[in-house]
Amino acid sequence: MESETKKVPKDKKYGGTTCCVPFCRSNNVKNPELSFHKFPLDSSLKETWLNLLGIQSQPLKSHKVCSLHFPGGKKSFGALPTVAKISCRQTENSSRGRAHTCVINKDTTTETNQFEQHNTTFDVQDSDYEKLKNDHVALQRKYEELSSKYKQCALRLEHVLASDINFKFYTGFQNYATFKVFFDFLQPACNFLTYAGSSNNVEYSAESKKQGRKRSMTPEQELFMVLVRLRCGLMGVDIAHRFGISEAQVSRIWATWLEFLYHKLRALPIWASRDYVQQTMPQSFKETYPNTRVIIDCTELLLEMPTSFRSQSVTYSSYKNHNTAKGLLGISPAGYPTFVSELYAGRASDKQVTKDCGILNLLESGDDIMADRGFDIADDMPAGVGLNIPPFLNGASQLSLGAENDTRKIASLRVHVERAIQRIKSYRIIKNVFPLKMSSDLNKIWVICSYLTLFYPPLINEKCESE
């Protein structure tokens, strides 16, 4: 006689989203009355959830927790989950007074290793319910304390101003005193900025108060944040995490301050007069090239490859073997920037940039300009203006002794413009390949970083001069 066997029915395939808590089978298709919630983005709060729910591994983006795991069967702001599926309701019990009847769903295994749901109902007295409620309140307070502590640990100006080394690392300024001079120069205009995305076009006076919501950061802290991003080359989401603000707020502050700094710094008359150049000229120039007014050189900033073929062509630099933007920098013999051009496409030659940027219009009769051999602009020089560049071979097999000495002298003096460019590129945001999504800001960033080096110590000092 054949033995009878029981056929175990297979679980029905519901699809949709299933609660990720162990032994919980809630599903948004099977249980449409429930809501399903993602894990919090904050890492410390996420760890709290994982510990309370007994989950060992990190959750995926698709993992969600059903509302039955929250007090009252509903997730509220700041609520913490529990591993049990709780559905509380008040009842009246004549023999035991008021009580809370809680239904906890358990999953147990059958002999065939298939999971079946069972409901166990028991009564929880007021004292037990109050204990659960107090535990929840205590956990919520702990979360608020951790959130407050996190905001206190966020990067702020006051955290680095006491250390000159840290302050220079984050901002490029030698110390807080120099930074304060720069910030005072921007006052009081930075107190009345109209932020990107704002429709507030009211004209402010020095006596009027800024309209709109109160800033979460002071103007001084916002300037510090912008300098940190310029100096360290950090992404917006990283800056938001470090400063404890939203990424959208970082974007608004960044766009507003870039525009403000660009126009404010561009208004500075940095082109030095001939008398000032002569007064500050190092001895090495006075002995060899005393009429030098400006030393020029071009530099290239690496760009991501544009999607347009035409843009790829005009920005491709055969010198760098990369898509680039090109800018011209002019410095005085003392080493300070006296001219900063706008950016050009990387395919433009040094000669084209020099003729177009406007620096030749600033030279006066009797001035000399010093440059590299690539600046073959002798035919384009204004009347009475000289050009000092290393001599060419002109068909000879090698340079003459006099030409070789001239080359060495010019190279030893012209090297200072390369050092000035390196100062600008110490701002890591333009040192690495610049992303296309920020390409509209590149020209402003180049100009701002160039002008910020005006607040640096002298490039050529007496000690270097004597050496």
Side-chain angles (χ1 to χ4, degrees):
M1 184 176 179
E2 296 182 0
S3 60
E4 296 182 359
T5 58
K6 293 183 179 180
K7 188 175 181 182
V8 180
K10 295 183 179 180
D11 290 343
K12 184 178 179 181
K13 303 293 184 181
Y14 288 100
T17 300
T18 301
C19 181
C20 68
V21 178
F23 304 116
C24 181
R25 304 291 292 278
S26 299
N27 183 278
N28 67 342
V29 176
K30 180 177 65 173
N31 309 105
E33 73 280 1
L34 302 180
S35 57
F36 291 75
H37 307 279
K38 296 180 180 179
F39 282 82
L41 296 177
D42 182 83
S43 57
S44 61
L45 184 56
K46 183 192 294 184
E47 287 298 326
T48 302
W49 276 41
L50 294 175
N51 292 334
L52 290 173
L53 295 173
I55 300 175
Q56 302 297 326
S57 59
Q58 288 294 321
L60 302 177
K61 290 183 179 179
S62 59
H63 286 170
K64 296 182 180 179
V65 180
C66 72
S67 56
L68 289 179
H69 295 282
F70 295 90
K74 181 179 179 182
K75 183 180 181 300
S76 59
F77 179 77
L80 296 174
T82 179
V83 68
K85 293 190 292 185
I86 301 177
S87 178
C88 296
R89 60 181 181 270
Q90 266 194 357
T91 62
E92 292 295 332
N93 190 313
S94 59
S95 62
R96 308 172 74 175
R98 193 182 62 171
H100 298 276
T101 302
C102 297
V103 180
I104 299 183
N105 296 324
K106 297 180 181 178
D107 288 325
T108 58
T109 57
T110 65
E111 295 179 357
T112 58
N113 293 326
Q114 298 291 328
F115 289 102
E116 296 179 356
Q117 285 191 341
H118 298 277
N119 293 332
T120 300
T121 304
F122 62 92
D123 291 330
V124 180
Q125 298 302 314
D126 282 336
S127 59
D128 296 328
Y129 180 75
E130 288 300 324
K131 183 178 182 302
L132 289 173
K133 186 176 180 181
N134 292 336
D135 290 344
H136 168 68
V137 172
L139 286 172
Q140 188 171 359
R141 286 176 180 173
K142 185 176 181 181
Y143 167 69
E144 292 174 353
E145 290 175 2
L146 289 173
S147 300
S148 177
K149 185 177 180 181
Y150 167 75
K151 291 182 178 180
Q152 292 175 2
C153 294
L155 182 61
R156 285 290 187 269
L157 174 62
E158 52 268 22
H159 296 163
V160 299
L161 59 83
S163 171
D164 291 349
I165 295 176
N166 290 338
F167 203 87
K168 183 179 180 181
F169 173 81
Y170 282 110
T171 67
F173 287 94
Q174 296 299 303
N175 46 49
Y176 174 69
T178 311
F179 169 85
K180 193 66 168 63
V181 170
F182 178 61
F183 179 71
D184 291 342
F185 158 72
L186 301 175
Q187 293 276 42
C190 60
N191 291 322
F192 307 104
L193 295 177
T194 300
Y195 284 77
S198 171
S199 59
N200 188 357
N201 296 319
V202 180
E203 294 185 0
Y204 299 104
S205 64
E207 294 78 17
S208 64
K209 293 184 179 180
K210 182 181 181 300
Q211 299 181 2
R213 292 190 303 173
K214 185 179 179 180
R215 296 177 176 178
S216 60
M217 300 169 65
T218 65
E220 194 176 24
Q221 290 172 338
E222 290 181 353
L223 175 60
F224 173 70
M225 188 197 78
V226 172
L227 291 176
V228 169
R229 190 175 190 187
L230 291 172
R231 182 71 173 179
C232 302
L234 303 176
M235 299 177 66
V237 64
D238 192 359
I239 287 288
H241 178 73
R242 289 172 187 262
F243 283 82
I245 58 178
S246 67
E247 190 176 355
Q249 190 175 358
V250 170
S251 179
R252 287 193 294 271
I253 294 173
W254 171 254
T256 303
W257 275 87
L258 277 189
E259 189 73 19
F260 172 62
L261 289 174
Y262 173 78
H263 291 289
K264 190 73 173 178
L265 293 174
R266 263 305 189 197
L268 289 175
I270 63 173
W271 179 254
S273 65
R274 181 185 294 176
D275 290 340
Y276 182 80
V277 170
Q278 290 293 327
Q279 292 172 10
T280 58
M281 182 176 290
Q283 190 62 31
S284 57
F285 277 90
K286 292 180 179 179
E287 294 174 354
T288 52
Y289 299 97
N291 294 326
T292 302
R293 182 77 176 270
V294 65
I295 312 165
I296 63 171
D297 197 10
C298 284
T299 187
E300 296 185 66
L301 311 178
L302 302 182
L303 299 173
E304 280 186 348
M305 182 184 293
T307 55
S308 166
F309 291 121
R310 178 171 295 181
S311 298
Q312 290 177 18
S313 176
V314 298
T315 59
Y316 185 78
S317 167
S318 57
Y319 177 69
K320 292 288 186 180
N321 263 349
H322 206 283
N323 297 93
T324 65
K326 179 177 287 188
L328 181 141
L329 179 70
I331 66 169
S332 68
Y336 282 106
T338 57
F339 184 86
V340 180
S341 77
E342 302 292 306
L343 288 179
Y344 292 79
R347 190 176 178 181
S349 67
D350 295 348
K351 182 176 181 178
Q352 289 175 319
V353 173
T354 307
K355 290 172 58 179
D356 185 74
C357 69
I359 190 172
L360 299 181
N361 299 330
L362 300 174
L363 298 169
E364 304 174 53
S365 179
D367 291 339
D368 285 348
I369 186 171
M370 182 176 287
D372 194 12
R373 189 178 282 113
F375 290 83
D376 186 15
I377 54 175
D379 297 336
D380 303 302
M381 301 295 289
V385 176
L387 176 65
N388 294 319
I389 61 175
F392 293 92
L393 288 173
N394 293 326
S397 59
Q398 63 181 15
L399 294 174
S400 64
L401 184 59
E404 186 176 346
N405 288 334
D406 290 342
T407 300
R408 290 178 177 175
K409 288 179 182 178
I410 293 175
S412 64
L413 299 176
R414 199 192 64 81
V415 70
H416 296 305
V417 71
E418 296 178 359
R419 293 175 60 202
I421 289 173
Q422 289 305 312
R423 277 187 164 186
I424 298 172
K425 289 189 175 181
S426 66
Y427 289 90
R428 298 184 66 86
I429 195 168
I430 57 175
K431 186 176 183 180
N432 301 318
V433 179
F434 202 80
L436 278 179
K437 64 180 181 180
M438 295 176 60
S439 58
S440 59
D441 295 331
L442 181 55
N443 186 69
K444 288 181 275 192
I445 291 173
W446 153 255
V447 171
I448 292 169
C449 293
S450 301
Y451 274 74
L452 286 176
T453 60
L454 289 167
F455 296 87
Y456 281 26
L459 189 63
I460 306 172
N461 52 40
E462 294 181 359
K463 182 178 179 181
C464 294
E465 190 70 18
S466 61
E467 292 175 352

